[in-house]
Structures are given as C-alpha cells and as structure tokens.
Amino acid sequence: MSNPSSAQGPAAAARDFDAIIIGTGQAGPSLAGRLDAAGMRVAIIERHLVGGTCVNTGCKPTKTLVASAYAAQMARRGAEYGFSAGPVSVDMTVVEARARKVIMDSRKGNEDWLAGMANVELIRGHARFDGPGAIVVNGERLTAPRIFINVGGRAAVPEMPGLQDVPYLTNSSIVALDALPAHLVVVGGSYIGLEFAQMYRRFGAQVTILERGERLIAREDADVSEAVRGILEDEGIEVHTGADRIAFERVDDDIAVSFQAGGKDARVVGSHVLMAIGRRPNTEDLGLDTAGIERDERGYITVDDHLQTSAPGVWALGDCNGRGAFTHTAYNDFEIVAANLLDGEDRRVSSRVTGYALYIDPPLGRAGMSEAEAMKSGRPLLFSKRPMTRVGRAVEKGESKGFMKVVADAETRRILGAAILGTGGDEAIHGILDMISADRPLDELRWAVPIHPTVSELIPTLLVDLAPAPDRG
C-alpha cells in the first residue's frame, strides 16, 4: 500500500527498489501503474503537489477558468440568440472556488490512484541524485536500476529593469486569484499569455498585451497570428507587438510598465502584471552531474529517441526533456517508455506527430507542419483554406470567426499539416491528426461521409479544394 514517507536524517543503509520515479506529473503516476502491474517495487517521489503542472496550475484550472469566461461572454451576447440575461457581472471568488475544486478533486484522484498500487510507495520530499543509480530524499538513500525523471517545468521570469521591485503573477499564481484586476498587463504574447488575456477581459478587466516579437504566437503562420490578434482586439484587448526595453516601477498601488514600440516610448499602468514569457525545466537542483546526466544550454535533460539520458538506466519524461511542452506529449513519453521496457516494442519520440491547441475562443487546433514549415521543406505542395463563415455549424452557433487550412505533399498525397482556428477547432483537428499519424493518403479522408452539421464535415471539402498555389482568400 502506498504511504508517504516521513524519514528524516541520514540513513544507515540504502533501500533498494526496482524503479524510482521523480515527479508525479502526467507521466509519473501512469508509469508507476504499469510498473506496479508488472510486479516491480517502485518509489515515486514528489516534493510539492501530486499531479504536476496540468492538475495544479495548468490544464485543469486554466480550462475551468476559460469555461467560466466563455459562459460570461455568451451571457453578454444573449440578445443575439433571442434572450436577455440582464447585466453580467462576475464573482471571482466563485470562479476561483470552482477552479480550485477541479484542482483538488483531480489531485485527490491521483493520490488515491497511487495509494491503491500495491507495490508503489509515494515519498514526499526533494530528491537529489547521489551518484549513478542512487537518490537521496529526506536524508534517506534509495537505489534502483531504473530511474525516471518527470519533474516538469515552471514559468521563466527573465531579469528586467524594476521587475524585482514590483509584485507580479505567473501562470501558477494567477489561477488562485480571487479578485478581478482593474487592469491586467500581460507580458508575453504566446499561448499562456493569450489565454489569460482573453479570459480576464471576459471577466471584466481591462487588458493590455506586450509582446517583444513582431507578431503574436510567432510559432504560428502569419495569417493565424493576424487573425488571433484581430479576435482579441475585437474584444477590447490592447495589443502591442515589437515591445522592447520593458521596465517596471511602482506607482502608488499600481505598476507602471514602460516599453518601446515602433521607435517610440510608451507606458501603461496596470493593477496587476502577468509574466508569460516562457517556461524553464525544474532540473537545476537535482544533482544531475553526480549521475552523469547531461543537460542542454537551456537546462533541459538531453535524451535520445527512446527518452534515455546520457546516464545508463535513467530516462527523462515530460516537460523537463525539451521534447514536448504539453500534457499529452508527457503522457506519450510514458507510453513510449512503457512500451519499450515492458512490451518489447521499439517506439520512438521522432514518430510523434505534433499536435496541440490554443484555448482562446475560438480555439486554434494544430496538427503537423505549419504552412511556413512545409514551404521550407522544398517539396511540391498542395494548399487549401476556407473561412469559418463557410462552415454551417459555425454560422448556426453564431461563432464564425477564423478559418481552417491544410497543406499536403503533392507527390505522396499525404497531409503534412493543418490549422483550424474556429469553433470546435481543438476537436475537429483530430481527424487530420489521426490521418497524419496513420500515414494514410488524403484521398481516404476525402471519401469519408462526415456527420452534418459539424465543423469536421468541411475537412473533406477542404481536401477536395487542394491546389498547388496557396489560397489567400
């Protein structure tokens, strides 16, 4: 039965396990379950909160908050649908409590799951390597021939003038906010920053986004970035791209953020600042050097195609290995390692097809290559693009912003990538993602008979419209 360890002080002798897992994010408990079922004695170590980022500060709370923000926005649009909801106000204490309940229920579910594993011991504490094959936690030395690192990451907060002198939020602290900011300044125009920006605008805050790059979500194609910016600005969010020389100072109870954009000095005063510039791995305090485990220049643990580190018998899974920054890629890391170790398979990270979503409203679903990436490949291409105003389901719902597009290899007739920025895009994209993963010719999807009315039904039509030149219409 799984019980937290309370061992303190130096241990006289090491305890031996068949496997040690450091971290209880998306990959850790799942791997513990497979190893437990295989009869292995497993120690799983957690120094903070069981469930990792997804459960405690990521997917679970943020998508719960997104749902509350969506409901508030739809209530404001009631007249468009033929009803009146009256003036809409948001009680942030209720919003926060709802998100907190989702967190606590999910965390407890993970804890109960681990407790039910007969051969797994959950140890609370900070693990550090003590040479090859050895871990020290709470003063006790543990050894195992297999060690799995699943320590995740956290918000990166770079040094900026004055930042150390002002209060600021990260994705971890903002999910616990139970009061509405008068004016939220979001520093960073990528996935996390944009989700919180729209969310808090819909809760009723004034919101300003500052992005150093020349456009939002620079990883995406320019037309996607432009459309997302338009969606946010239509809701009253102020967006500044090309914002450089960002600095902070206190102004009474507020925070002044100065910057340069377009060669001009500018300044915005907000009640709250959210730092959403990027992520960093939690790898600097694990004693990796003592076990010969290498990291790259950004601190990510280097792994091979099977997720093995430079040290024999040690694997790194999830955000800490730099091979994926999503809950689903962390879970897939578990699947790869478990299949290779326990099922005799030869699964590889390089076989994974990129897929993810941006959970603004409407959401962006992405699969495979972007259009820009496909064009850089030099292969002959086919393109197709269609606005959501031509998607019946979107029109019927009154949610017709955005577009869908796809790019394919003209010779192999394989889909290379797609983007669906529109209602249901985070779900509809899976039809394309599955086709890419199955390595099937696009004609097979063209022959499909999709359900009407759905967003997905336009995907076969989109493939019929594939042409050699990009459609910018």
Side-chain angles (χ1 to χ4, degrees):
M1 184 66 65
S2 169
N3 292 300
S5 170
S6 59
Q8 298 292 332
R15 283 204 292 155
D16 298 326
F17 292 85
D18 296 310
I20 297 172
I21 302 170
I22 306 173
T24 60
Q26 190 64 26
S30 299
L31 181 59
R34 283 297 315 272
L35 297 175
D36 173 66
M40 295 189 190
R41 187 164 177 254
V42 181
I44 185 166
I45 305 168
E46 177 54 60
R47 65 178 172 182
H48 193 208
L49 301 173
V50 171
T53 298
C54 177
V55 165
N56 296 287
T57 61
C59 314
K60 290 289 186 178
T62 60
K63 278 48 185 181
T64 304
L65 294 170
V66 164
S68 291
Y70 177 78
Q73 184 73 355
M74 293 305 292
R76 294 187 185 100
R77 295 181 58 196
E80 298 177 37
Y81 297 90
F83 68 91
S84 175
V88 176
S89 61
V90 175
D91 186 338
M92 288 302 298
T93 61
V94 176
V95 170
E96 186 276 333
R98 179 172 175 268
R100 178 161 30 91
K101 183 179 186 304
V102 170
I103 292 171
M104 299 305 293
D105 288 349
S106 184
R107 186 190 304 165
K108 185 177 185 303
N110 275 267
E111 291 171 342
D112 291 347
W113 181 27
L114 289 170
M117 298 178 190
N119 302 306
V120 175
E121 179 179 352
L122 172 61
I123 301 174
R124 307 275 188 167
H126 181 181
R128 291 181 60 90
F129 279 86
D130 187 36
I135 298 292
V136 171
V137 57
N138 301 328
E140 183 179 26
R141 195 168 192 264
L142 314 178
T143 61
R146 307 168 192 86
I147 298 178
F148 307 92
I149 307 171
N150 179 222
V151 294
R154 65 189 185 279
V157 183
E159 292 185 7
M160 291 183 173
L163 183 60
Q164 71 278 6
D165 301 322
V166 302
Y168 61 85
L169 300 162
T170 67
N171 71 288
S172 296
S173 54
I174 196 171
V175 297
L177 206 60
D178 62 359
L180 182 68
H183 186 173
L184 177 65
V185 180
V186 179
V187 182
S190 195
Y191 307 93
I192 292 174
L194 299 189
E195 289 179 10
F196 280 109
Q198 187 187 54
M199 178 196 310
Y200 273 88
R201 178 59 183 157
R202 291 180 167 192
F203 288 151
Q206 183 179 350
V207 177
T208 300
I209 298 172
L210 305 180
E211 166 56 39
R212 284 176 166 177
E214 293 305 313
R215 56 186 177 88
L216 300 177
I217 44 175
R219 176 178 177 175
E220 307 301 335
D221 289 326
D223 57 350
V224 173
S225 296
E226 181 181 356
V228 167
R229 179 170 186 160
I231 288 166
L232 298 177
E233 290 180 333
D234 284 348
E235 294 192 19
I237 297 172
E238 186 176 346
V239 179
H240 296 277
T241 51
D244 198 11
R245 300 187 181 181
I246 299 173
F248 307 82
E249 65 174 323
R250 291 297 297 261
V251 178
D252 298 324
D253 292 331
D254 291 326
I255 304 165
V257 187
S258 59
F259 59 97
Q260 283 190 348
K264 297 181 180 179
D265 292 331
R267 187 171 183 261
V268 59
V269 179
S271 60
H272 295 71
V273 168
L274 170 64
M275 298 300 294
I277 290 180
R279 305 282 293 171
R280 61 181 299 183
N282 295 323
T283 59
E284 68 273 15
D285 57 357
L286 301 177
L288 299 177
D289 291 345
T290 67
I293 300 170
E294 297 177 358
R295 297 185 295 159
D296 66 16
E297 65 280 359
R298 298 179 299 162
Y300 292 98
I301 298 172
T302 57
V303 294
D304 64 14
D305 215 14
H306 295 97
L307 298 169
Q308 297 186 62
T309 72
S310 55
V314 181
W315 292 257
L317 301 83
D319 293 3
C320 68
N321 64 26
R323 302 295 290 270
F326 306 100
T327 293
H328 54 275
T329 53
Y331 186 81
N332 183 240
D333 284 356
F334 142 68
E335 292 178 313
I336 291 170
V337 168
N340 293 342
L341 284 179
L342 302 175
D343 302 330
E345 297 182 16
D346 182 21
R347 293 184 59 173
R348 300 170 180 266
V349 180
S350 57
S351 299
R352 183 159 65 206
V353 178
T354 301
Y356 56 89
L358 165 63
Y359 290 96
I360 61 166
D361 176 35
L364 167 68
R366 280 272 288 106
M369 295 182 180
S370 67
E371 181 179 320
E373 290 170 337
M375 292 180 70
K376 288 178 182 177
S377 71
R379 68 186 81 190
L381 301 174
L382 299 171
F383 303 87
S384 185
K385 183 176 180 180
R386 182 167 293 218
M388 295 300 288
T389 52
R390 293 179 61 191
V391 178
R393 182 65 170 155
V395 174
E396 293 151 7
K397 293 177 67 178
E399 301 178 7
S400 58
K401 292 183 178 180
F403 59 84
M404 56 174 65
K405 66 175 184 175
V406 65
V407 58
D409 187 306
E411 293 180 346
T412 66
R413 298 193 67 77
R414 260 50 174 187
I415 300 172
L416 299 177
I420 303 178
L421 174 62
T423 182
D426 54 327
E427 295 286 352
I429 197 67
H430 283 87
I432 292 177
L433 184 60
D434 292 344
M435 287 293 292
I436 300 174
S437 297
D439 190 26
R440 305 302 300 170
L442 61 90
D443 301 278
E444 294 185 8
L445 188 55
R446 287 172 57 184
W447 300 331
V449 183
I451 297 170
H452 174 78
T454 61
V455 174
S456 298
E457 71 177 316
L458 263 291
I459 294 174
T461 305
L462 194 68
L463 298 180
V464 171
D465 292 344
L466 281 166
D471 176 10
R472 301 300 186 212

